[in-house]
Amino acid sequence: MRIKIETMAARIDARFKDKMKRIDSICGELTYELAKDDLVAIGTVLHDDEEFGFEQLMDVCGVDYLTYGDVEWTTYSATESGFSRGVAREPVILDEADTFDPRRFAVVYHLLSMQNNVRLRLRVFPGEENPPVIDSVVGIWNSANWFEREAFDLFGILFEGHPDLRRILTDYGFIGHPFRKDFPLIGNVEVSYDAEKGRVAYKPVSIEPRTLVPRVIRDDNRYSEDLKDGSADG
C-alpha cells in the first residue's frame, strides 16, 4: 500500500506541481492542500484522468479551526478555562464580523480511486470572507450534493453552484450553525409542542449551562514520590 500511495503522490506532484501542497500525515494517509480557485479544475482532472481515477467522493466535511492548538491544561492544577470550557458564557447566534481568519474554516474532501486502490484527502480553505464561500463539486461528483448541504448547515459554508443548498439536519428556521466552535453547546432555542396553539413552537432554551469537563485531581497517592521508579529501596 505504501508503494501505491507514493506512486500516486509522484503522479500528483508531477502533474500539478506547486498547485497542490502535500501535508504530512502521522498515519501515512495521502493529503494535499490546494487553493479554492483551483478546486474544480483539479478535481475534474483527478476524476476524469485514468492516471488518477478518483471516481468516488466518499465524504465532504467542514472544519472550524477557531480553537485549534489552544492548551486546556496549562498548569499543574485544573485551570478555570480548562475546567469551564464546556460552558458558553455568552450566547452566540451569528458572527457579525466582516471577515474571519483566512485559515479558520476548511472543507475536506475524501476521494477513492478503485482502479488504483488509493485514497486521497484534499483540504481547501474558503478564505477570510464572511460567510465563507467555495465552489461546489456536485458537477464532478454527484455524491457531494448532501455532503455540501451538511457542511452548509453545520458550519455555514456556502457552496457556489450547488443546485439546492438548504439545511439538511437542523430545522428550516434554525438560526446559526451548531458545529462552529463559538456556537453555545446548549443552543439558543428549543422546540416543544404547544397545546394551546396546536403546533410546535420555539422558546428560549431552558437547559442550564453545565460543565462537561471533569475536574482532575493531581495530588492523590498515585503521584507520591515513594511510588516513582527507583525511589523505593530494593
Side-chain angles (χ1 to χ4, degrees):
M1 182 58 71
R2 168 57 57 183
I3 295 176
K4 292 183 178 180
I5 290 176
E6 293 305 323
T7 299
M8 181 58 67
R11 294 175 183 175
I12 292 174
D13 294 340
R15 182 68 172 270
F16 301 107
K17 297 181 171 60
D18 58 349
K19 288 189 175 183
M20 294 182 65
K21 177 184 177 183
R22 188 172 181 180
I23 306 299
D24 292 336
S25 172
I26 60 174
C27 52
E29 297 175 334
L30 191 57
T31 305
Y32 279 86
E33 185 178 309
L34 62 154
K36 71 173 187 176
D37 293 338
D38 296 326
L39 173 62
V40 173
I42 290 179
T44 301
V45 174
L46 292 175
H47 177 275
D48 295 345
D49 198 313
E50 291 186 0
E51 112 177 281
F52 303 111
F54 288 100
E55 63 275 0
Q56 286 201 22
L57 175 68
M58 307 303 296
D59 189 23
V60 178
C61 62
V63 183
D64 184 356
Y65 287 105
L66 180 64
T67 57
Y68 181 75
D70 289 356
V71 178
E72 299 291 352
W73 309 104
T74 57
T75 63
Y76 183 71
S77 59
T79 64
E80 180 180 357
S81 61
F83 179 63
S84 305
R85 71 182 189 273
V87 178
R89 302 292 186 183
E90 300 293 336
V92 177
I93 296 179
L94 289 176
D95 192 327
E96 302 296 342
D98 293 331
T99 60
F100 293 118
D101 183 310
R103 294 179 69 85
R104 172 178 172 178
F105 292 104
V107 182
V108 180
Y109 303 82
H110 298 264
L111 309 179
L112 170 63
S113 173
M114 291 189 295
Q115 58 185 293
N116 294 305
N117 193 24
V118 175
R119 296 179 184 270
L120 173 66
R121 180 186 293 111
L122 303 178
R123 183 173 66 180
V124 184
F125 290 92
E128 64 179 10
E129 59 186 324
N130 183 14
V133 181
I134 196 168
D135 289 332
S136 172
V137 295
V138 172
I140 306 172
W141 297 282
N142 289 333
S143 60
N145 192 314
W146 281 20
F147 293 142
E148 291 180 350
R149 285 179 58 189
E150 183 180 44
F152 158 68
D153 190 0
L154 301 180
F155 292 93
I157 300 170
L158 301 181
F159 293 87
E160 188 170 359
H162 190 285
D164 186 23
L165 192 62
R166 54 193 168 95
R167 291 186 183 273
I168 192 172
L169 295 176
T170 60
D171 186 70
Y172 296 124
F174 192 89
I175 298 176
H177 305 283
F179 273 20
R180 288 189 174 185
K181 295 297 180 64
D182 50 7
F183 192 87
L185 295 180
I186 61 173
N188 294 303
V189 296
E190 64 185 29
V191 180
S192 61
Y193 181 76
D194 190 316
E196 294 182 359
K197 297 179 179 179
R199 62 178 176 82
V200 171
Y202 287 92
K203 62 180 181 180
V205 63
S206 60
I207 302 174
E208 294 184 0
R210 60 191 185 279
T211 300
L212 302 180
V213 182
R215 186 183 296 278
V216 179
I217 300 175
R218 292 180 169 81
D219 290 319
D220 61 17
N221 64 333
R222 293 174 298 169
Y223 299 93
S224 171
E225 291 292 331
D226 295 336
L227 297 179
K228 292 184 178 180
D229 294 340
S231 60
D233 295 337

